[in-house]
């Protein structure tokens, strides 16, 4: 603590919504890396991360506390517990890649419960039915007027990631949507 | 809402995730410094904008982020096909 030069204040600190069908809660602070890499680099990167990077867009993989979301043909968002030095683990990889620490750019929100899918569908135009968007599916998409990254973490649980400056809007949107989800 | 097939996501996705990005298959001349103003104008500003089948660039901006090409009917707005950037113009043949 002696070396701490700035205090991080989570933007959604203390906010939490619990309704009959849906709960909306801020996710714990996390380490995040925006990773770009060509196909040839994937095996080396996967080995250094101890996690096989999914090569199919909209797929995700989890190992322990670490999750890799494939958002584009050469793009991944890697999320791990707060304080984990993900980029440091990849430092020895000689294959070509780009890793940018976006830990504090994003905010995670967990939407759970029987009405979770309906609450997100209030602002997301994609078909989120289980057969179209199964557990572990993920994508970059839209919620209301904001861009989000969405991951289905369970039959009735989603992780919504948005940029920090949009967090107030996204949380409020989900809060309102959870009032009366159309199940 | 239109559904547009992203050839990288391999899925029909809502149009609000996409942005139109102009005419497709324009080739940037390699001798721009030697071109006349009229030739440069032709490359830089003049577009076909036909009524009927158009070949366009689109970007899956709120998705995988990729640019790709689409053949679309500018009368009905119907997408006939989409294909990855760099691929040749598709033969549309007996598509309706
Ligand atoms: Zn896409």
């Amino acid at each position: 603590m002696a070396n701490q030069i700035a205090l991080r204040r989570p933007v959604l600190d203390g906010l939490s919504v619990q309704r009959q069908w849906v709960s909306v809660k801020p996710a714990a602070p996390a380490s995040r890396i925006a990773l770009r890499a060509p196909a040839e680099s994937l095996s080396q990167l996967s080995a250094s991360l101890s996690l096989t990077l999914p090569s199919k867009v909209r797929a995700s993989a989890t190992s322990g506390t670490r999750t890799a979301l494939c958002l584009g043909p050469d793009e991944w968002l890697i999320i791990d517990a707060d304080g984990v030095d993900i980029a440091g683990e990849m430092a020895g990889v000689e294959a070509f890649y780009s890793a940018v620490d976006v830990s504090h750019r994003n905010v995670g929100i967990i939407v759970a419960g029987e009405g979770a899918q309906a609450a997100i569908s209030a602002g997301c135009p994609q078909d989120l039915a289980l057969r179209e968007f199964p557990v572990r599916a993920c994508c970059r998409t839209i919620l209301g007027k904001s861009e989000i990254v969405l991951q289905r973490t369970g039959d009735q649980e989603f992780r919504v990631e948005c940029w920090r400056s949009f967090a107030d809007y996204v949380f409020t949107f989900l809060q309102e949507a959870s009032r009366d989800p159309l199940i | 809402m239109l559904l547009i097939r992203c050839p990288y996501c391999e899925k029909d996705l809502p149009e609000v995730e996409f942005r139109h990005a102009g005419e497709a298959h324009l080739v940037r001349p390699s001798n721009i410094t030697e071109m006349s103003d009229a030739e440069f104008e032709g490359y830089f500003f003049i577009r076909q904008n036909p009524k009927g089948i158009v070949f366009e660039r689109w970007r899956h901006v709120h998705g995988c982020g990729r640019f790709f090409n689409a053949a679309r009917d500018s009368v009905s707005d119907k997408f006939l096909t989409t294909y990855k950037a760099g691929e040749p113009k598709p033969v549309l043949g007996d598509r309706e």
Side-chain angles (χ1 to χ4, degrees), chain A residues 68-107:
Chain A
L69 315 172
C70 186
L71 301 179
D74 62 358
E75 183 185 359
W76 292 263
L77 175 66
I78 302 173
I79 305 174
D80 206 332
D82 194 24
V84 175
D85 181 14
I86 309 170
E89 291 179 36
M90 291 186 284
V93 173
E94 294 196 342
F96 180 69
Y97 71 96
S98 146
V100 178
D101 191 314
V102 293
S103 303
H104 304 287
R105 184 195 70 178
N106 282 21
V107 169

Side-chain angles (χ1 to χ4, degrees), chain A residues 113-170:
Chain A
E114 224 173 321
Q117 183 190 315
I120 292 169
S121 288
C124 177
Q126 287 204 23
D127 185 353
L128 300 179
L130 258 173
R131 65 176 185 284
E132 282 295 317
F133 199 74
V135 179
R136 282 188 296 281
C138 66
C139 62
R140 195 187 280 122
T141 181
I142 295 213
L143 185 84
K145 296 283 183 188
S146 171
E147 183 175 287
I148 59 164
V149 168
L150 181 65
Q151 185 199 17
R152 185 175 219 132
T153 48
D155 279 11
Q156 299 184 348
E157 188 183 83
F158 296 83
R159 183 184 181 99
V160 175
E161 288 261 323
C162 65
W163 286 24
R164 185 184 161 103
S165 52
F166 291 87
D168 183 38
Y169 170 85
V170 171

Side-chain angles (χ1 to χ4, degrees), chain A residues 36 56-58 71-75 125-126 132 139-142 147, chain B residues 1 8-11 13-14 16-17 19 60-66:
Chain A
R36 304 290 302 266
K56 199 165 164 39
V57 185
R58 299 170 68 88
L71 301 179
D74 62 358
E75 183 185 359
Q126 287 204 23
E132 282 295 317
C139 62
R140 195 187 280 122
T141 181
I142 295 213
E147 183 175 287
Chain B
M1 181 183 288
Y8 295 95
C9 294
E10 297 175 349
K11 217 168 165 52
L13 292 162
V16 291
E17 293 187 358
R19 288 287 181 285
H60 193 191
V61 58
H62 299 300
C64 65
R66 282 304 171 113

